[in-house]
Amino acid sequence: LTLSTRAAWAHAAGAREALAFEAAAGAALRLERAGLLVSLARLADQRPGAIRRDALVGRLAGTADVAERLSLGAGAAIGWQRAEGVRDERASGSVRAVVRVGGPLDVGAEYARRASLEGLPIGDLDAVRAEAGVRAGQSRIALGYTFLGFSGDGIAPRDDGRIFLRAQLAYGP
């Protein structure tokens, strides 16, 4: 179980302000061949020259080792948010397969889809990603690239970049 918060505020000459606030609660269940993660976060952020975003975001993700070399995962997110006084509510989901290619090395592919719950134009609706990773026990770290579509989980109003880092860290007795 986790409970976390972070906050930052900056004010520069010319009345440019930046703020970042996040309070989150989450829970994870890790079994020998499967895992489940659920979280709920309250966000407020604004970067200089960008719009202010206030949001409540819920996420659910699960993974399972379905064969000796194959893991499957699925995730979903929903965001109730307001940006520049406009409601921008979105939902997204993804499926991912990871295949161990030798020793601790693996490769993965992911397909993601998002939708506006308000019917607003949100750009790309689909995303295709690939990643290469290294495992150590139940932990995994991977470097990936978004070949097509949106970045991140698709809930935020801005893209996070095409290159991403995925980390799954686990420890046990």
Side-chain angles (χ1 to χ4, degrees):
L1 298 174
T2 64
L3 182 59
S4 65
T5 187
R6 71 176 173 86
W9 176 80
H11 180 80
R16 297 183 75 180
E17 288 188 357
L19 70 89
F21 170 80
E22 179 177 348
L29 173 64
R30 184 73 185 153
L31 304 171
E32 189 172 327
R33 297 179 51 91
L36 184 65
L37 174 68
V38 62
S39 69
L40 185 63
R42 170 69 174 93
L43 310 166
D45 63 36
Q46 181 174 12
R47 296 180 181 156
I51 61 174
R52 179 182 168 123
R53 173 185 177 218
D54 293 289
L56 180 63
V57 178
R59 292 183 176 94
L60 175 66
T63 61
D65 294 339
V66 296
E68 185 177 330
R69 296 185 168 268
L70 177 64
S71 296
L72 298 178
I78 187 165
W80 299 273
Q81 52 201 349
R82 185 170 291 281
E84 280 192 357
V86 176
R87 286 176 47 168
D88 182 13
E89 298 174 357
R90 301 176 183 195
S92 67
S94 67
V95 293
R96 180 169 48 101
V98 176
V99 178
R100 287 179 214 88
V101 293
L105 303 178
D106 61 35
V107 294
E110 180 179 34
Y111 169 75
R113 177 117 176 127
R114 69 179 176 177
S116 169
L117 301 178
E118 298 293 315
L120 299 174
I122 58 174
D124 295 321
L125 299 180
D126 301 289
V128 176
R129 305 178 182 115
E131 60 190 55
V134 178
R135 281 187 186 265
Q138 292 182 336
S139 297
R140 177 178 185 265
I141 190 160
L143 185 62
Y145 187 79
T146 302
F147 286 97
L148 175 70
F150 62 90
S151 298
D153 63 8
I155 299 298
R158 64 185 175 279
D159 284 340
D160 299 319
R162 294 225 170 263
I163 297 174
F164 63 90
L165 181 68
R166 187 184 312 265
Q168 174 183 314
L169 305 174
Y171 64 91

